[in-house]
Amino acid sequence: MNPRNQSNLLYDRACQVIPSGIYGHMAPGAGLPTDFPLYCQSADGCRFTDVDGKEWYDFMCGFGAVLHGYKNPSVEQAVEAQREWGGVFNQPSSLMVELAEKLVSQIDFADWAVFAKNGSDLTSWALRVSREQSGREYVVKAKGAYHGVDAWCDPGLGGRISSDRSHILEFEWNDSEQLESLFKKYSGKIASVILTPYHHPSFAPSVLPDASFWGTVENLCRTYETALILDDVRCGWRLDDMGSHHYFGFTPDLTVYSKALGNGYAISACVGTEKFRDAASDVFLTGSSWNDAYAMAASMASLNLSIEKRVASSVMTKGRYFCSEFEKLANQFEIPLQMTGVSSMPYPWIDGDDDLYQIQALCKVAASNGLFFHPYHNWFISNAMNQSDIDTVLGLSKKTFESFSESFSRSKR
Ligand SMILES: Cc1ncc(COP(=O)(O)O)c(C=O)c1O
C-alpha cells in the first residue's frame, strides 16, 4: 500500500474544492519531498501522526505556533476553564485587559498592547501606526525578509499592482552603510524600519546580526526620528522570555508577536511605547473573533509557562545539544553541513548546496525515518522534546546520514 494513501486521496479531493489543493509552505508544488505527509491526524507533545497513521518526530511545531508542545496540559486546562464562560463575545472579556497588563509588565519598553488573530494583521497595522504617527510614507525592510501575506511584503508574485511596493525600500541584512544611505536619500520621509531579530529567510541560511548592527539601526532610527518595528512573530519566546530585543540588546518602538504567543491558539499582539499610543488609537483595528477569550486564556497560560519553566533558555539548551550532535554526525559522514541561526530554531545549510537539491534529498531520507525536517524553512525545537526524544532523533539522524552520504558522495564524483 502507498504509505501516503490517505494523504493522496484527501489531496485529490482538495484539488476539486481548494485552489492548488494545499497552499503556502506545505504546497506539494513547492518541491517538498514526496514522502512528506500532506494531512495531519493528531499531535501530542513533540510528535504528530499523519492521516496514514505514521508517527513523526516534529521539528516544525505548527510552523512555530507551538512552543510548549502539542496539547500542552496547562494551556489546554486554561482553555477548558474558559469554556464555562464562552469564547467570542461582542465585547472583549476581562482577559483582554489582563493579557495587555501582563505584556506591558513583561516587555520592558511596552506601554500598551493590542491584539489580533495573526502576524500579518499586525505587521501591516504597525506600519500604518508608524505612518500615522510620523506623517511619512516610506518603510524600510531587509531584502528577503518575510513579514506576512499582505501585498507590501508577501514573497509571491500574484495579484500585485506596482503601487503596492512604491513606498517600500529594501537593504541587505547587516549592511549598515546601505541602510544609512537610504536614510540620507529619503531624509524626513521614512516612517519606520521593520526587521526580524535576526535574518531567517526561506531557501537560504539564517544570518545573525553583526556585533554593531542593532546599535547602528537603533541610532539611525533615533537620529532620523523613525520608528523601529520589531517583527518578533517567529522568534518571540524562543530567544528570550522577555522578548527577542532583550536577547540582542536593543529597544524597539513597536513589536509584533504571534505564533508561540498562543501555543497553537490563534492570537497576535502588538506592543508599543507611549509616543505611538495616539496613532495606535487612530489606526482602525478589528477582525472576526478579535476578542477570542479562548486564545487569550491560552496565551496567559503560555506566557506563565515560559516564565515558570524558563522556556526560551530551555529550548536554546536543547537546540544547542541537538545542533552540535547533528553537525558532528554530518561531519562523521563527510557532509559539510552547518546549523545556522539560533539553536532553538536552526536551519541546516550544506556547503555549496545553492540549488537546495542536497538538503531536499536529506529531508527525504529523514522522512523515511519518521523525522519531519523541512528543507527550505528554519526548524523549531519543541520544549516538549526531552533528552530521550532528542537521543532517539539523533539515532534516526545517524541512520539518515548513513543512507544520504552514499548519494551525496556519488553526486560529488
Ligand atoms: C517573521 C514573520 N513575520 C510575520 C509573519 C506573518 O504571520 P502570520 O502567518 O501569522 O500572518 C510570519 C509568519 O510566518 C513570520 O514568520
Side-chain angles (χ1 to χ4, degrees), residues 223-240:
T223 307
Y224 289 87
E225 295 183 5
T226 290
L228 174 50
I229 304 174
L230 177 64
D231 176 351
D232 213 358
V233 168
R234 196 180 306 182
C235 298
W237 287 280
R238 284 195 156 83
L239 273 60
D240 192 304

Side-chain angles (χ1 to χ4, degrees), residues 25 118-121 123 146-148 196 200 231 233-234 258-259:
H25 296 300
N118 65 38
S120 304
D121 285 349
T123 50
Y146 183 66
H147 297 293
T196 51
H200 44 60
D231 176 351
V233 168
R234 196 180 306 182
S258 189
K259 294 206 184 266

